[in-house]
Amino acid sequence: MRTRAPAAAVLLAALGLGATGCGAGGDPATVLDVHAAASLTGTFTELAEQFEAQHPGVEVSLSFAGSSTLVQQLTEGAPADVLATADERSMAGAVAAGLVDGEPEVFATNVLTVVVPAGNPAGVASFRELAEPGVQVVVCAPQVPCGAAGERVQEFSGVRLSPVSEEGSVTDVLGKVVSGQADAGLVYATDARSAGDAVEVVEVPQAAQAVTRSPVAALADSEEPELARQFTELVAGDRGREVLAGAGFGAP
């Protein structure tokens, strides 16, 4: 399995990803290119391993980034077989561009939460406190699903943030909090969970009003359409939902 990871390497170092580029007996592997939102890194890595085990001679090549970045890359001609985005808006852009084969299927949901570094040095106790002077907050850029969800949370809560930076993926936000470059960050609950003891969580009550729904689809220009279909079925099926639920994702 090959993985082209997002910038926040802190979340990926423990995964021990490797690549052989060959199938059984040293023959070249059939490669299935899967582009997925950065928030899906852990779950899609696990599902890709299961898919390879079920399909000897198939290598899943994973590319993770912000959903809007992935769609832009595909629009510009990047080859891929499967696309999974963190929200339906990004997938709608891929559909409008004629990139998708068939109807995308929503396979999971997610909500935002606030994370602070272990020990909570800034003493952040609520979402409203993120707007106080001197609190260094990092969020996703508005064009990224987690950024769009963050905008909705701010609208629902009546709290307007002044972030010190807007990142291109949720894992970049998390990375800045874990490394102590920010007092707090707005990330998905699943990313907060994956960080373990490196962060503490501050719940956001309004997050339930800004749920994101993640769809997956096979791509129209796939060179492996049957394998692409089978991978989407794995993601949206019982096994996929089991893996996703284990990581904290909600049911579609």
Side-chain angles (χ1 to χ4, degrees):
M1 176 169 53
R2 296 199 303 264
T3 305
R4 292 185 288 276
V10 64
L11 297 181
L12 305 183
L15 293 177
L17 302 179
T20 62
C22 295
D27 295 329
T30 298
V31 177
L32 186 72
D33 283 308
V34 176
H35 283 42
S39 57
L40 300 168
T41 299
T43 52
F44 268 53
T45 298
E46 182 174 348
L47 290 172
E49 291 172 349
Q50 293 185 16
F51 192 81
E52 289 178 344
Q54 296 166 2
H55 298 78
V58 174
E59 178 185 354
V60 179
S61 177
L62 296 168
S63 295
F64 297 109
S67 296
S68 58
T69 298
L70 294 174
V71 174
Q72 180 179 352
Q73 291 172 346
L74 295 175
T75 302
E76 293 173 351
D81 302 294
V82 175
L83 172 66
T85 59
D87 71 336
E88 293 179 291
R89 184 182 70 173
S90 298
M91 183 63 77
V95 172
L99 300 173
V100 173
D101 180 23
E103 291 291 327
E105 183 172 359
V106 173
F107 62 90
T109 58
N110 215 338
V111 295
L112 292 180
T113 193
V114 172
V115 290
V116 298
N120 194 4
V124 175
S126 69
F127 182 73
R128 184 168 298 277
E129 290 181 19
L130 299 183
E132 293 183 355
V135 178
Q136 295 187 317
V137 183
V138 181
V139 300
C140 291
Q143 67 269 23
V144 182
C146 60
E151 290 287 326
R152 295 197 300 274
V153 169
Q154 292 178 66
E155 292 172 5
F156 292 134
S157 65
V159 176
R160 179 52 55 181
L161 303 181
S162 299
V164 295
S165 71
E166 296 179 340
E167 303 298 323
S169 74
V170 68
T171 49
D172 289 341
V173 173
L174 184 59
K176 286 203 167 183
V177 174
V178 170
S179 64
Q181 298 179 64
D183 296 324
L186 201 55
V187 303
Y188 289 123
T190 52
D191 294 283
R193 182 170 176 169
S194 72
D197 294 338
V199 300
E200 296 179 16
V201 172
V202 178
E203 299 294 342
V204 181
Q206 297 81 7
Q209 298 174 274
V211 175
T212 57
R213 291 160 48 87
S214 299
V216 64
L219 297 178
D221 290 338
S222 171
E223 295 185 359
E224 301 292 342
E226 180 58 24
L227 287 174
R229 181 188 63 79
Q230 291 176 15
F231 190 87
T232 63
E233 289 177 350
L234 172 64
V235 171
D238 292 342
R239 183 55 187 150
R241 292 185 182 182
E242 179 181 341
V243 171
L244 289 154
F249 286 89

